[in-house]
């Protein structure tokens, strides 16, 4: 009986340790995703490439590091369910292009900011990576939280404002006024 | 902010709002994550007026300010504006049941007003007392124990822009309890309040320029995007009680070295 109890305890400790190491590993992985991406983005903006080249690099980085399908579904919300497969495809490619255009535009006026990676905390199936975007000359840093799932970014919160949630409200309002096809057309126009 | 100029108008508005919030709150069905906006049509109207004023007056002044005024001077202006707001923050911290933080805020105010030359230099931060910011909208949220997402109906205020019933009442209360306003009234130097309102407006506009430009440029419905962003920002401010914008973020988690990727 005592042996059995010891065995149970051993099993419990072992499984607890496995759990801890799994959580620890995925937290580290999530932080690694953010660090690698930041290094790549920095390398891309520092080369002083032309707008077109930078956009090309950004689009590669975006595709490699962001789970565009998950983000696109999330921002479309309930309209995703009612969309036809054709609308979904069109929306995804237009959305991806528009986001890439938006992200590469943000790095146009890069002035020597750096990203400090802080603590990682689990959030359901995903990990939240806290970072600070340090401003040059001691300006107020900007707090950015990256939500990472399956090794890819699924949302970014800037000073508590989720890009995905904001985009969803934005799209939702546009769709209820103009319809999904109009939104797709508008995004296609913007993504160029 | 210009809020001081509008105080009288706002009083009537606030009374109406309190009545409206009491009567309407909680009886509307909302989609998950969407902001309750029963007054969307008048709000969009006010939003358009604000955007026009911004485009022709506030933004050009701010752009000029950002371009011509040296960075250290801009930081000094930000510090002065912040310093003048410390008493209101301290009162709200007391009201929220945070006496030790209120004491810190008072200490900041005393140090920065004297050693920091009327608040131009944030000496207290160097001494290890980081700034905090609390307003009465946040105090109401604490008192009401309601989810911070629920600030009553969304409102677009003249000149001030995005708000809601809770935060509009908060603005009014902050104005009423502001020791500086009371002092300038007592001393009959009300023009100082107008000067402060103008400087505060330009300071806030210059610090929000980048973020607002980004939201406007990358949204298909700017009004809705801003409505969502404002509400989320307020939720974050209410949740992370007392934490100044960013300074208190723990960068070093247990067992993780601090990592900066660029040198």
């Amino acid at each position: 009986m005592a042996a059995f109890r010891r065995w149970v305890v051993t099993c419990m400790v072992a499984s607890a340790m496995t759990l801890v190491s799994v959580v620890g590993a995925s937290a580290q992985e999530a932080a690694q995703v953010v660090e690698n991406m930041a290094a790549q983005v920095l390398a891309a903006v520092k080369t002083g490439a032309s707008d077109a080249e930078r956009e090309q690099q950004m689009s590669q980085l975006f595709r490699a590091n962001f789970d565009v399908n998950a983000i696109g579904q999330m921002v479309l919300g309930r309209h995703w369910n009612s969309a036809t497969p054709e609308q979904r495809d069109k929306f995804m490619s237009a959305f991806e292009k528009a986001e890439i255009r938006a992200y590469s535009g943000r790095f146009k006026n890069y002035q020597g900011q750096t990203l400090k990676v802080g603590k990682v905390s689990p959030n359901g199936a995903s990990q939240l990576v806290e970072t600070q975007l340090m401003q040059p000359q001691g300006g107020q840093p900007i707090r950015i939280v990256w939500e990472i799932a399956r090794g890819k970014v699924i949302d970014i919160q800037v000073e508590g404002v989720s890009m995905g949630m904001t985009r969803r409200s934005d799209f939702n309002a546009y769709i209820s006024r103009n319809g999904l096809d109009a939104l797709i057309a508008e995004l296609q126009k913007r993504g160029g | 902010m210009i809020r001081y100029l509008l105080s009288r108008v706002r009083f009537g508005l606030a009374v109406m709002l309190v009545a409206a919030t009491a009567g309407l709150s909680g009886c509307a069905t909302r989609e998950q994550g969407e902001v309750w906006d029963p007054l969307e049509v008048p709000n969009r109207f006010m939003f358009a007026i604000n955007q026009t004023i911004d485009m022709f007056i506030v933004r050009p002044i701010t752009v000029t300010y950002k371009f011509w005024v040296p960075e250290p001077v801009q930081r000094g202006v930000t510090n002065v504006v912040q310093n003048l707001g410390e008493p209101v923050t301290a009162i709200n911290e007391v009201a929220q049941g945070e006496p030790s933080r209120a004491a810190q805020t008072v200490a900041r105010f005393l140090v920065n007003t004297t050693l920091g030359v009327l608040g131009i230099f944030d000496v207290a931060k160097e001494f290890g007392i980081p700034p905090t910011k609390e307003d009465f909208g946040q105090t109401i949220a604490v008192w009401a124990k309601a989810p911070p997402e629920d600030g009553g109906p969304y409102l677009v205020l003249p000149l001030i822009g995005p708000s809601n019933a809770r935060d509009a009442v908060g603005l009014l209360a902050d104005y009423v309890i502001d020791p500086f306003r009371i002092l300038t009234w007592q001393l009959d130097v009300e023009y100082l309040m107008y000067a402060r309102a103008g400087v505060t407006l330009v300071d806030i506009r210059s610090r929000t320029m980048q973020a607002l430009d980004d939201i406007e440029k990358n949204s298909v419905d700017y009004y809705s995007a801003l409505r969502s962003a404002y509400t989320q920002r307020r939720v974050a401010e209410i949740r992370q009680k007392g934490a100044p914008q960013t300074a208190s973020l723990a960068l070093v988690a247990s067992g993780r070295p601090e990592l900066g990727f660029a040198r």
Side-chain angles (χ1 to χ4, degrees):
Chain A
M1 197 61 210
F4 175 70
R5 198 178 299 149
R6 203 174 309 132
W7 178 76
V8 168
V9 170
T10 313
C11 280
M12 278 165 65
V13 170
S15 60
M17 277 166 72
T18 320
L19 196 69
V20 166
S21 67
V22 165
V23 168
S26 57
Q28 208 129 49
E29 270 167 27
Q32 204 62 51
V33 169
V34 174
E35 273 158 30
N36 289 346
M37 186 170 41
Q40 287 166 344
V41 168
L42 199 70
V45 291
K46 268 191 173 165
T47 54
S50 68
D51 281 8
E53 281 171 341
R54 197 186 47 237
E55 200 165 314
Q56 179 63 34
Q57 283 170 323
M58 288 306 298
S59 100
Q60 279 173 6
L61 282 173
F62 189 80
R63 289 205 178 92
N65 291 298
F66 284 68
D67 190 344
V68 188
N69 275 316
I71 298 170
Q73 266 186 53
M74 186 266 175
V75 297
L76 217 49
R78 66 188 163 90
H79 299 290
W80 176 262
N81 297 324
S82 54
T84 64
E86 197 199 344
Q87 280 177 320
R88 288 179 184 182
D89 283 352
K90 273 187 172 168
F91 169 77
M92 277 303 176
S93 72
F95 174 65
E96 188 183 58
K97 280 198 189 116
E99 288 293 292
I100 288 167
R101 176 62 59 89
Y103 274 96
S104 51
R106 279 178 196 134
F107 294 102
K108 212 174 258 177
N109 32 23
Y110 173 78
Q111 294 160 329
Q113 289 91 340
T114 56
L115 195 74
K116 266 191 185 173
V117 179
K119 72 170 192 230
V120 183
S121 49
N123 174 43
S126 60
Q127 303 278 335
L128 297 176
V129 182
E130 298 241 6
T131 65
Q132 279 189 358
L133 187 65
M134 310 306 287
Q135 303 294 320
Q137 292 133 32
Q140 186 75 31
I142 297 170
R143 180 173 179 235
I144 304 178
V145 178
W146 307 76
E147 191 173 357
I148 312 280
R150 297 170 302 275
K152 289 194 170 183
V153 179
I154 57 168
D155 194 19
I156 303 173
Q157 291 166 27
V158 181
E159 294 286 356
V161 179
S162 147
M163 296 291 109
M165 219 182 194
T166 308
R167 195 60 70 236
R168 182 166 67 182
S169 293
D170 180 23
F171 285 178
N172 204 359
Y174 195 88
I175 293 169
S176 36
R177 295 174 148 233
N178 310 299
L180 180 55
D181 289 323
L183 174 70
I184 293 167
E186 178 66 28
L187 291 176
Q188 280 169 342
K189 206 173 80 194
R190 286 169 181 232
Chain B
M1 249 185 280
I2 289 293
R3 66 185 192 225
Y4 305 105
L5 306 175
L6 293 160
S7 63
R8 271 149 236 226
V9 183
R10 201 160 321 115
F11 183 71
L13 191 65
V15 171
M16 273 158 49
L17 286 174
V18 171
T21 324
L24 294 171
S25 189
C27 60
T29 48
R30 270 168 275 174
E31 196 179 333
Q32 180 75 35
E34 287 295 340
V35 180
W36 185 35
D37 189 3
L39 303 171
E40 182 163 346
V41 174
N43 278 344
R44 278 189 188 267
F45 180 68
M46 187 48 77
F47 188 73
I49 293 175
N50 282 350
Q51 269 199 295
T52 312
I53 296 171
D54 184 62
M55 186 162 74
F56 287 109
I57 303 167
V58 183
R59 198 171 197 285
I61 292 172
T62 310
V63 169
T64 314
Y65 169 80
K66 271 179 81 106
F67 187 79
W68 287 107
V69 178
E71 200 112 333
V73 177
Q74 289 187 30
R75 201 162 312 143
V77 169
T78 303
N79 287 343
V80 169
V81 165
Q82 179 176 272
N83 193 51
L84 290 172
E86 303 276 28
V88 172
T89 293
I91 294 170
N92 278 302
E93 282 169 338
V94 170
Q96 291 174 22
E98 303 276 350
S100 61
R101 281 208 355 247
Q104 283 197 357
T105 303
V106 172
R108 275 182 56 80
F109 178 68
L110 295 176
V111 168
N112 285 340
T113 304
T114 52
L115 294 178
V117 196
L118 298 176
I120 296 170
F121 304 102
D122 193 348
V123 188
K125 197 170 158 190
E126 312 301 321
F127 289 176
I129 321 176
T132 53
K133 181 92 189 83
E134 294 292 335
D135 55 57
F136 204 77
Q138 286 161 273
T139 302
I140 295 173
V142 172
W143 284 354
K145 294 193 174 68
E149 289 85 355
D150 189 11
Y154 180 75
L155 292 172
V156 178
L157 301 178
L159 280 168
I160 294 160
S163 190
N164 55 41
R166 176 195 64 209
D167 296 337
V169 172
L171 279 177
L172 176 76
D174 282 336
Y175 173 77
V176 170
I177 62 175
D178 186 359
F180 281 113
R181 182 199 57 86
I182 297 166
L183 197 66
T184 50
W185 281 22
Q186 296 290 327
L187 299 176
D188 221 13
V189 283
E190 280 176 51
Y191 63 89
L192 282 178
M193 285 302 284
Y194 299 128
R196 176 189 169 190
V199 171
T200 307
L201 180 73
V202 173
D203 177 55
I204 290 178
R205 188 67 184 90
S206 73
R207 288 187 289 118
T208 52
M209 176 109 38
Q210 219 185 346
L212 291 180
D213 283 356
D214 190 277
I215 295 175
E216 181 167 17
K217 188 170 144 231
N218 295 311
S219 60
V220 287
D221 188 321
Y222 183 34
Y223 172 87
S224 302
L226 198 58
R227 180 176 65 191
S228 172
Y230 171 79
T231 307
Q232 291 181 58
R233 181 88 190 94
R234 290 296 287 172
V235 169
E237 282 172 350
I238 292 163
R239 286 246 167 83
Q240 52 166 193
K241 240 167 99 185
Q245 292 95 353
T246 46
S248 76
L249 168 64
L251 271 174
V252 188
S254 54
R256 277 197 58 78
E258 188 171 313
L259 291 149
F261 68 85
R263 329 248 162 226

